[in-house]
Amino acid sequence: MKTLRQFIFTLIAVIGLSMAVSAQKNDPKKQRPKDPPPVINPGDKKTKPKENPPRDEKKPKKPGMAFFVYSNNSRIDLA
């Protein structure tokens, strides 16, 4: 009886998997249409270049880089 149950379960699993594969086989892939690339005119002189905003002189400057090395060269000799 156990063998018959395993055989039926295997048969149902094989049929189910084959149906799932055949359902996906003929599915056409829908691709998104390509957008045309944007047009860039490098010689467009109508637009003014962006000016840098004036710097606030009251702002504190960022600290520079600091480097610190600590070395402990004490040596203990045990006899």
Side-chain angles (χ1 to χ4, degrees):
M1 190 68 173
K2 184 178 179 183
T3 309
L4 181 63
R5 187 178 345 144
Q6 287 180 348
F7 177 73
I8 292 173
F9 177 75
T10 305
L11 185 65
I12 291 173
V14 168
I15 291 172
L17 288 175
S18 64
M19 288 177 62
V21 169
S22 67
Q24 294 178 359
K25 195 172 190 179
N26 295 328
D27 189 22
K29 294 182 180 180
K30 297 178 183 177
Q31 294 182 354
R32 193 176 132 213
K34 293 184 178 180
D35 296 332
V39 177
I40 299 173
N41 297 329
D44 190 13
K45 296 183 180 180
K46 292 180 182 178
T47 59
K48 294 181 182 178
K50 294 181 181 178
E51 295 180 13
N52 292 335
R55 295 187 78 191
D56 190 11
E57 298 298 329
K58 295 180 182 177
K59 281 187 176 179
K61 293 184 179 181
K62 293 181 181 177
M65 184 176 158
F67 189 74
F68 179 73
V69 176
Y70 176 72
S71 176
N72 187 2
N73 290 334
S74 63
R75 198 164 138 191
I76 300 175
D77 292 330
L78 299 175

